[in-house]
Amino acid sequence: MCKEPPRSKFRLLREKWTNVPGIDGGGLADASLTDSYFSTSFIGVNGFGSPAETKYPMMQRMTNSSSSPSLLNDSAKQYAGHDPLTSPNSSLFNDFAALSVSQRRKTPNPSASEFIPKGGSTSRLSNVSQSSMSAFSQALFSHPSMGSPATAGLAPGMSLSAGSSPLHSPKITPHTSPAPRRRSHTPNPANYMVPTSASASVANAVSQPPSTGQVIQKETVGGTTYFYTDTTPAPLTGMVFPNYHIYHPAAPHVAYMQPKANAPSFFMADELRQELINRHLITMAQIDQADIPAVPAEVDSYHSLFPLEPLPPPNRIQKTSNFGYITSCYKAVNSKDDLPYCLRRIHGFRLVNTKCMVLVDMWKKIQHSNIVTLREVFTTKAFGEHSLVFAYDFHAGGETMMSRHFNDPSADAYFTKRKWGQHDGPLPRQHAGLLPESLIWAYIVQLSSALRTIHTAGLACRVMDPTKILVTGKTRLRVNCVGIFDVLTFDNSQNNPLALMAQFQQADLISLGKVVLALACNSLSGIQRENLQKAMELVTINYSSDLKNLILYLLTDQNRLRSVNDIMPMIGARFYTQLDAAQMRNDVIEEDLAKEVQNGRLFRLLAKLGTINERPEFQKDPTWSETGDRYLLKLFRDHLFHQVTEAGTPWIDLSHIISCLNKLDAGVPEKISLISRDEKSVLVVTYSDLKRCFENTFQELIAAANGQL
């Protein structure tokens, strides 16, 4: 329970109680109360002053209403026969209509995964030298040649959808018929404790009493009576929940795993907040077109290009060792969907045959958490020459594995040749020059998962190289630039474009082995032939035999066709370690999200309250904000922000502000006293009265802004 706030001099005027005309002091009906997620009160937030407010009843018996709070108006409303998104009572799309807020609605794609990443990126702006791609595609240990496997293809996915129609409608349902009751995404806590039963037919429901948890509703529209069954289960007797939003403590399984004792209790972790802010800054970054005229203002349907890598000089002749062409990378915004994408430009390439688009279409179908998705490929002359552009998802803040782990020249000291008389330095160890084995296994799990998906689709990665592997966050990997080699090296004479995929898939496994060996040595010099024996000795001394065997298996040519599934036994139970780490990370992020989930709702309340208070003039009435319902809202604003202690000093308590706003949003029947600034009047009102005044006043402003007054 919260403690009573300090009493101010305004609270001593109890002999001057007055009531506002027209205000009903009664409480709200049970059906107008809302349900949401609650547990305990918001008390003592990071040093924001003193204890919270007066002791108030915090629990209200649940009713049979299951309406969930809306975005702007969280009170429970009776069912109405209209679309709640386009009706006059809609709080989100009508309240801010005068503010020109974008109201574009996106329908969900039933065949798309909710966990597909929405962006893709390339490396940061850095002058990192790119290693040779050929070094990651040749076997280090030779063996008899291998045969050619049959290619496999992914079975096409299928999405099913079902519709519904009125039960007793002899003709097409008129457009004025009541809209179907939409199930809210905010569940009723009581629903998890009440068993549900199948809905009975309307004919039986009319003649028989409804079963537990079902209510027969009736509505007449245009002379036609519609019956529908409300299958929302009623709460069990004796169950009580708070009737307004309250902040809850951290879950025990998250609280005990917190590595920092001073982690904030009611706000997002500083590290996560800073990471998100950096991603937002990179996503919104732009260039001055006058300073960099070489970057066009628009390329095909993309605009606002921003270079993600240093631009090559105009007269550059040397080509990159990866693709054999000069390349550059940009962040751009697609004008069709207003989403950021990563554009990889191949300079001076003219596409003469479109048969390779068959492979591009296959790449566009691959959706994986460790692969940067290819969205489209197009040709353009916007850069002043023929260019081929690959559009990928943009992952802000991503950097290459090369810049993350192989950008330290001193790491190669163990493998470099020394002059006569010089001795080798100390042998590198884990956490002292070498990466921890757990991090290497985390990378192996992600890269092998990406290869497994690519090979199952009948394709080959061909870019398993540290310069083409993105690292976002701490350990998240994504394979970038997929599909580029398939287009650049497409052979028009081949009848089957997938004929050589078997050999390319075997080369992917060799490249994966070299990446793992380079990570284990923390140096690209370890994958060179003259340093191979020394590198394997380093792995044997510092790492487990499973990691050594995995590297040897990937780097050695076998007398049979290999598969990425062959390394699964070597990974073994370490896969469960990575799964456990990912789920624990998900728990921490969900807990941080729960701390901030109510911020948008409270901000909308304050924004609406700010448009009402102290308005100089409305409808040619300069005293509009000082009379009627607006005067109550002004006093409530003072109750929120302008209270003082007995000594006359400001009383600042964030828990008091948030608690009062939540009670206003829910319209609870609790009474409060509002004191005028001249200390001559004390008004006793309920939060339900304040909410009614609040909504009516804001609707009046919206009507005037829309020209309806």
Side-chain angles (χ1 to χ4, degrees), residues 81 106 156 209 246 278 291 331 361 372 374 406 425 434 437-438 488 497 511 514 606 686 709:
K106 295 183 179 180
I246 310 176
N278 292 338
D291 295 340
K331 174 190 70 70
D361 292 337
V372 180
L374 176 64
F406 305 113
L434 297 181
E437 185 171 356
S438 59
L488 299 184
S511 299
K514 293 185 177 182
L606 290 176
T686 63
L709 291 181

Side-chain angles (χ1 to χ4, degrees), residues 478-500:
R478 289 182 175 90
V479 180
N480 193 23
C481 298
V482 295
I484 293 182
F485 267 119
D486 294 331
V487 177
L488 299 184
T489 63
F490 185 78
D491 188 0
N492 296 327
S493 61
Q494 288 282 349
N495 295 329
N496 182 12
L498 303 177
L500 299 177

Side-chain angles (χ1 to χ4, degrees), residues 435-490:
L435 299 178
E437 185 171 356
S438 59
L439 177 62
I440 298 177
W441 282 112
Y443 287 169
I444 293 173
V445 170
Q446 296 179 70
L447 294 178
S448 60
S449 176
L451 282 184
R452 181 177 178 272
T453 300
I454 294 173
H455 292 180
T456 303
L459 297 170
C461 176
R462 306 181 68 180
V463 286
M464 188 61 65
D465 183 272
T467 61
K468 297 296 175 286
I469 298 175
L470 292 182
V471 184
T472 54
K474 294 183 178 179
T475 60
R476 180 69 175 274
L477 297 186
R478 289 182 175 90
V479 180
N480 193 23
C481 298
V482 295
I484 293 182
F485 267 119
D486 294 331
V487 177
L488 299 184
T489 63
F490 185 78

Side-chain angles (χ1 to χ4, degrees), residues 122-130 307-311 398-404 406-407 466-467 470:
T122 58
S123 61
R124 292 179 180 174
L125 296 175
S126 58
N127 295 321
V128 181
S129 60
Q130 298 181 342
L308 298 174
E309 296 175 350
L311 295 177
E399 59 179 328
T400 63
M401 180 182 287
M402 172 70 76
S403 62
R404 172 69 69 90
F406 305 113
N407 202 20
T467 61
L470 292 182

Side-chain angles (χ1 to χ4, degrees), residues 273-285 331 394 396-397:
R273 183 186 302 276
Q274 188 62 42
E275 181 180 352
L276 295 178
I277 291 176
N278 292 338
R279 292 182 184 180
H280 295 166
L281 291 177
I282 297 174
T283 303
M284 303 303 297
K331 174 190 70 70
F394 176 66

